[in-house]
């Protein structure tokens, strides 16, 4: 399709046939859907150049092959003409594919399974063999996306390109697929290729979630200052943080851990307050996740954090009987939590000194 015909005129060489000196292009019948793009359209005409038809070229707008029929009469130098001969030129259809539209997907994560969905199809029927597809792929910025092959070939009609793309940056990135349809069996096995087309896939970044500190120790009744943050900039929407799970040990309870499960401000503190009913340090295991709201809904990978809650010590004091003036006080302070240092203050009327 669009290539030179390459026809070379010749006569049979045998005792019963003489070589032609001239050829008469008696008729040219061009099939429906064919448009001449090169060569001499005049007929009838007489030529001496055996390659006169070789430069003819046609485009085929059909989805199947079409034909050009030349009626050629050979004539010897003595003026003797042979019978008209039909020469049939097969013009392959233009090898094209159905053009997929651009796509926008989320970066693939365990919490947000995403993949491209590019179907390779063509309704063209060449003279022989099927249509297959070759493609190359490249990310922009370079190295910003993983999860795709740099190139693939000989894919059958109807194949889907399903790549689980991972955007490793904080901004939108793209992967451009350049796809070429090929008819390897066309043109007597020489093959025909179509013009390459491009499909651009925008890959939204996965929210990159961090928490600081990831481990923290607080006293019972003191709010945690763990802070959630992200540096991701989505194309549309805002990022919301979620407390996916929290698991306390030792029967600990919280006045607010279950009531505040989402955080909408970057660098917002968790602020959970825990009551530790034991005399030992207990822990809370947290799982956090970030998602894009009002956009594609892209979701981050989960991150974990651990909060250690030390118990508030309770001190027991022994009873002190009445003493005489000048005697020592003998009160024993016993905390319920190991390694606790007890501090005390004393208050007495002005008439008593030494306290």
């Amino acid at each position: 399709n669009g290539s030179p015909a390459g026809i070379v005129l010749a006569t049979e060489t045998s005792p019963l046939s003489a070589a032609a000196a001239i050829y008469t292009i008696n008729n040219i019948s061009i099939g429906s859907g064919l448009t001449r793009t090169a060569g001499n359209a005049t007929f009838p005409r007489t030529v001496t150049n055996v390659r006169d038809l070789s430069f003819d070229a046609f485009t085929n707008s059909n989805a199947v092959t079409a034909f050009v029929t030349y009626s050629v009469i050979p004539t010897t130098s003595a003026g003797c003409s042979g019978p008209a001969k039909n020469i049939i030129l097969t013009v392959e259809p233009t090898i094209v594919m159905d053009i997929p539209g651009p796509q926008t997907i989320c970066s693939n994560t365990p919490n947000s399974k995403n993949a491209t969905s590019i179907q390779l199809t063509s309704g063209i029927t060449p003279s022989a063999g099927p249509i297959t597809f070759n493609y190359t792929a490249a990310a922009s910025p370079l190295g910003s996306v993983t999860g795709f092959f740099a190139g693939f070939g000989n894919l059958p009609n109807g194949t889907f390109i399903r790549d689980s793309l991972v955007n490793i940056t904080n901004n939108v990135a793209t992967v451009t697929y350049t796809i070429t349809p090929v008819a390897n069996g066309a043109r007597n096995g020489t093959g025909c290729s179509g013009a390459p087309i491009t499909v651009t896939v925008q890959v939204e970044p996965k929210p990159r979630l961090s928490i600081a500190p990831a481990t923290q120790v607080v006293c019972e009744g003191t709010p945690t200052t763990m802070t959630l943050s992200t540096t991701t900039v989505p194309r549309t929407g805002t990022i919301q943080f979620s407390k996916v799970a929290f698991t306390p040990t030792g029967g600990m309870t919280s006045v607010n851990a279950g009531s505040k499960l989402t955080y909408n401000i970057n660098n917002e503190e968790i602020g959970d307050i825990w009551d530790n009913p034991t005399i030992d340090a207990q822990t809370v295991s947290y799982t956090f996740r970030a998602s894009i709201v009002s956009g594609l809904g892209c979701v981050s990978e989960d991150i974990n954090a651990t909060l250690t809650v030390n118990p508030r010590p309770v001190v027991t004091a022994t009873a002190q009987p009445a003493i005489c003036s000048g005697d020592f006080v003998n009160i024993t302070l016993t905390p319920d939590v190991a390694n606790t240092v007890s501090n005390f203050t004393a208050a007495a009327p002005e008439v008593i000194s030494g306290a």
Side-chain angles (χ1 to χ4, degrees):
N1 183 33
S3 302
I7 297 172
V8 179
L9 300 173
T11 51
E12 181 184 350
T13 55
S14 71
L16 301 179
S17 176
I22 60 175
Y23 297 89
T24 300
I25 312 301
N26 191 47
N27 186 63
I28 303 174
S29 176
I30 300 175
S32 175
L34 294 179
T35 302
R36 178 186 287 276
T37 58
N40 190 344
T42 302
F43 67 89
R45 69 179 190 272
T46 299
V47 300
T48 57
N49 182 3
V50 296
R51 296 184 179 275
D52 182 79
L53 300 179
S54 66
F55 303 106
D56 282 9
F58 301 86
T59 57
N60 182 357
S61 62
N62 301 302
V64 296
T65 53
F67 306 94
V68 179
T69 302
Y70 299 90
S71 177
V72 181
I73 299 174
T75 302
T76 67
S77 56
C80 298
S81 297
K85 177 74 173 180
N86 285 338
I87 300 173
I88 298 176
L89 173 66
T90 300
V91 183
E92 299 284 354
T94 302
I95 308 303
V96 295
M97 66 175 292
D98 302 322
I99 301 177
Q103 298 181 14
T104 301
I105 63 173
C106 291
S107 180
N108 189 63
T109 72
N111 295 320
S112 180
K113 298 292 187 180
N114 294 279
T116 60
S117 182
I118 303 170
Q119 188 173 21
L120 309 179
T121 58
S122 174
I124 300 301
T125 304
S127 60
I131 300 289
T132 59
F133 301 88
N134 304 327
Y135 76 84
T136 59
S140 178
L142 184 66
S144 59
V145 180
T146 62
F148 64 90
F149 292 101
F152 223 96
N154 203 33
L155 297 172
N157 204 351
T159 296
F160 280 90
I161 301 176
R162 298 194 188 277
D163 288 339
S164 296
L165 302 178
V166 177
N167 183 346
I168 61 175
T169 74
N170 286 320
N171 301 288
V172 178
T174 62
V175 176
T176 300
Y177 294 84
T178 302
I179 307 166
T180 303
V182 179
N184 288 313
R187 203 167 55 170
N188 296 319
T190 304
C192 296
S193 295
I197 62 102
T198 59
V199 178
T200 300
V201 179
Q202 284 192 326
V203 187
E204 289 279 354
K206 61 182 177 182
R208 300 174 73 84
L209 176 61
S210 62
I211 186 167
T215 58
Q216 187 178 40
V217 179
V218 297
C219 291
E220 176 186 0
T222 302
T224 172
T225 58
M226 290 178 171
T227 300
L228 295 167
S229 63
T230 183
T231 54
T232 301
V233 182
R235 184 174 57 90
T236 58
T238 58
I239 293 180
Q240 182 181 81
F241 309 102
S242 299
K243 186 193 302 175
V244 179
F246 54 93
T247 306
T249 62
M252 287 199 300
T253 58
S254 172
V255 296
N256 62 346
S259 60
K260 186 169 179 58
L261 300 178
T262 58
Y263 305 83
N264 298 305
I265 302 174
N266 205 12
N267 296 310
E268 185 174 359
E269 291 183 354
I270 302 304
D272 288 357
I273 301 172
W274 289 93
D275 174 47
N276 184 349
T278 73
I279 61 172
D280 299 309
Q282 301 296 331
T283 61
V284 184
S285 298
Y286 286 100
T287 300
F288 296 99
R289 186 180 298 166
S291 59
I292 298 176
V293 180
S294 299
L296 289 181
C298 301
V299 181
S300 74
E301 297 167 338
D302 291 345
I303 64 169
N304 299 314
T306 302
L307 177 68
T308 299
V309 182
N310 286 326
R312 183 186 296 113
V314 176
V315 176
T316 302
T318 57
Q320 172 62 53
I323 61 174
C324 295
S325 179
D327 290 344
F328 287 102
V329 173
N330 185 18
I331 300 174
T332 302
L333 303 178
T334 305
D336 62 347
V337 177
N339 301 315
T340 297
V341 176
S342 299
N343 299 313
F344 70 91
T345 61
E350 292 182 0
V351 297
I352 298 177
S353 62

